[in-house]
Amino acid sequence: MAMRLITICSVIMGLLCSCCKTENEQGIIRPEWEAAIPTFESSEIFYPGLINLPKLENLMIVPTTIYDGGFCNEDNRLCAIDINTGETKWFFPSNIESRTFSHFDSKGYLYNGKLIFQYVINQQKDTYSRATVCLNVKTGETLWQKESRSSGVIKPVIGSGKDCYFIQDSCRVCKVNMDSDHISEFYYTGDNLLKINDIDLCDNYLVISCFCESALEDYSKETYVIVIETNTGKETLKKYLGYSLVPAHNFLEKNIIYSNLERKIMAVNLKTGNILWERHDECSYGFQDLCIYNDVLMNCSINATIGYDKNTGYVKYLFDDYGSYYVTQQGRYAYFLNRKENVDIIEIETGKKLGQIICPNKSGFLGPYPTIYDNKLYIIGNNTLYRYPTYPWN
């Protein structure tokens, strides 16, 4: 009887090991750790929040949604989760007001325990305003807040060291000294018709994407790129790029600006304004993100993925039926949050898919970019913050 029991147990253990082995062979990657994100009743987190999931020591800033009976009663907030214990430390805004709600969809900048970002406030029905706010990450205390005169369109906040930049209204960029919290106007377009769409930093230069409304019947816009020396505030370049239905988005690498206008991508010398190369790709309507590794520039849009020679624009690979919502790069690999709401690991030089992470409950990953800290990948799905090992997996 004892031998029979041992035999039965051995068979059961063998089956369990076989199941585990099959899952590993199929590349199913389990989270190392997870923490529930507080939400109200059956709310589902679906918006990006602060798209780069800021982290300070053991605190990570994640989105949470309070929802009660309709979009106008939805209140999107931020909360700080202790990644060691899963405990929620604070919320921003700290209180919910029934007649207003907030919305986050922006890139923040973290420096010396301070986090600056922009968010939209719904003051009343169909009335919005944009505010730039600075928080103490450890406590959630609001250190200062500056509201914008323009409409509620959220823009990225960028920085290098103690210097931080944000778009104050459609025509102005402000600079913040993060040590003293001193805010000053850094750049004004000088023309209320010339609107600022995006900003980025490259070494000692601030690169600004602008557009000017035109009188064309298709509502396309004149698109410009403007380069400012951060040390002097001097405008060193103003380059007209062409017409586009949507404002251009820029990606910077060394002294090259990679810019998109709808289905066109071009490489522009940051110092001279010379166009080094440009390409028209009908299958790619602009890009969400660009990744560069060695000489390959990977254009990641919602409907296509294209690999270019970054020096010539030559197409190395093209997948016109494979797109992504958000992409994060780590060295030679890119982590795609794809349209099926899984995370794919892509080799940038070849475009080859090397692996996939599927949300544990099959509901899909939503919200912010896949974010990497200390060689660990953080991603949100089903109102849960998950942590995974980065590729390659052992």
Side-chain angles (χ1 to χ4, degrees):
M1 184 68 180
M3 285 298 295
R4 180 179 294 181
L5 183 59
I6 292 172
T7 303
I8 292 173
C9 290
S10 299
V11 170
I12 293 173
M13 289 299 294
L15 288 172
L16 290 173
C17 292
S18 176
C19 290
C20 294
K21 183 177 180 182
T22 302
E23 288 183 346
N24 290 333
E25 287 173 352
Q26 292 174 348
I28 297 176
I29 304 301
R30 304 295 183 187
E32 297 180 335
W33 169 91
E34 61 185 69
I37 297 174
T39 56
F40 181 80
E41 293 184 353
S42 59
S43 305
E44 178 69 23
I45 296 171
F46 63 90
Y47 70 103
L50 293 182
I51 61 175
N52 49 331
L53 283 178
K55 177 178 176 292
L56 177 67
E57 297 173 358
N58 61 316
L59 292 180
M60 179 165 282
I61 314 305
V62 301
T64 182
T65 299
I66 309 298
Y67 181 82
D68 184 16
F71 178 76
C72 289
N73 293 323
E74 178 180 309
D75 196 300
N76 298 320
R77 297 196 290 172
L78 302 177
C79 70
I81 288 184
D82 188 316
I83 62 173
N84 293 329
T85 65
E87 181 184 357
T88 300
K89 294 296 185 179
W90 52 257
F91 286 95
F92 178 86
S94 58
N95 298 311
I96 296 296
E97 296 184 20
S98 60
R99 297 181 60 84
T100 66
F101 68 85
S102 53
H103 182 78
F104 302 86
D105 184 2
S106 174
K107 181 178 181 181
Y109 181 64
L110 179 62
Y111 172 81
N112 198 26
K114 298 177 181 179
L115 176 65
I116 296 184
F117 56 89
Q118 291 191 339
Y119 74 109
V120 166
I121 307 170
N122 179 35
Q123 303 289 5
Q124 52 188 348
K125 185 177 180 181
D126 299 326
T127 302
Y128 305 89
S129 65
R130 184 176 79 228
T132 305
V133 64
C134 180
L135 296 185
N136 180 318
V137 175
K138 290 188 176 181
T139 66
E141 174 191 3
T142 300
L143 302 177
W144 55 262
Q145 179 166 307
K146 186 175 178 64
E147 293 194 13
S148 170
R149 295 191 295 269
S150 61
S151 62
V153 179
I154 308 172
K155 302 297 183 181
V157 176
I158 59 170
S160 176
K162 66 179 180 59
D163 295 325
C164 172
Y165 302 85
F166 65 88
I167 301 172
Q168 169 59 14
D169 54 39
S170 58
C171 304
R172 290 175 172 81
V173 176
C174 284
K175 180 178 180 179
V176 183
N177 182 313
M178 296 288 284
D179 289 333
S180 65
D181 290 332
H182 176 70
I183 304 172
S184 59
E185 182 176 300
F186 180 72
Y187 179 76
Y188 170 53
T189 63
D191 184 350
N192 288 332
L193 297 177
L194 191 59
K195 312 295 186 182
I196 299 173
N197 174 63
D198 199 9
I199 56 175
D200 209 341
L201 282 172
C202 184
D203 297 328
N204 295 320
Y205 296 97
L206 180 71
V207 179
I208 303 173
S209 172
C210 295
F211 66 92
C212 186
E213 300 288 354
S214 71
L216 296 180
E217 291 183 359
D218 65 356
Y219 302 103
S220 61
K221 303 169 178 63
E222 296 178 1
T223 303
Y224 298 85
V225 62
I226 298 172
V227 178
I228 312 294
E229 282 187 347
T230 55
N231 293 331
T232 64
K234 179 182 177 182
E235 181 181 300
T236 62
L237 178 69
K238 183 178 181 180
K239 176 73 174 179
Y240 171 68
L241 300 179
Y243 282 93
S244 175
L245 285 172
V246 292
H249 176 66
N250 298 317
F251 181 89
L252 312 177
E253 199 234 7
K254 296 181 180 176
N255 290 322
I256 307 299
I257 305 169
Y258 297 96
S259 188
N260 80 298
L261 284 82
E262 295 182 54
R263 293 178 174 86
K264 180 169 70 174
I265 184 170
M266 62 179 69
V268 180
N269 186 293
L270 180 146
K271 295 184 177 180
T272 66
N274 292 336
I275 296 178
L276 306 178
W277 57 263
E278 63 180 88
R279 284 194 58 88
H280 295 260
D281 293 302
E282 289 299 318
C283 65
S284 178
Y285 188 81
F287 57 72
Q288 297 283 102
D289 300 282
L290 287 178
C291 300
I292 293 180
Y293 186 75
N294 287 340
D295 288 331
V296 177
L297 171 75
M298 185 170 68
N299 177 355
C300 313
S301 69
I302 199 167
N303 62 322
T305 303
I306 307 173
Y308 302 96
D309 184 309
K310 73 173 187 179
N311 301 308
T312 66
Y314 172 78
V315 175
K316 290 178 171 288
Y317 55 83
L318 188 156
F319 305 103
D320 60 2
D321 60 349
Y322 178 75
S324 56
Y325 291 129
Y326 302 117
V327 177
T328 297
Q329 180 178 355
Q330 185 189 43
R332 62 186 293 188
Y333 306 116
Y335 294 79
F336 276 46
L337 180 53
N338 65 29
R339 290 183 297 183
K340 293 184 178 180
E341 298 172 355
N342 301 317
V343 174
D344 292 338
I345 293 84
I346 307 295
E347 186 176 52
I348 296 171
E349 288 183 291
T350 64
K352 181 181 178 182
K353 178 180 169 182
L354 302 175
Q356 185 177 82
I357 302 174
I358 299 173
C359 191
N361 69 350
K362 311 295 183 183
S363 66
F365 294 111
L366 296 170
Y369 277 60
T371 306
I372 296 173
Y373 292 106
D374 301 324
N375 218 32
K376 301 294 182 181
L377 176 73
Y378 293 86
I379 187 70
I380 288 175
N382 188 38
N383 298 338
T384 303
L385 175 65
Y386 295 101
R387 184 177 68 205
Y388 289 88
T390 53
Y391 193 86
W393 302 309
N394 297 325

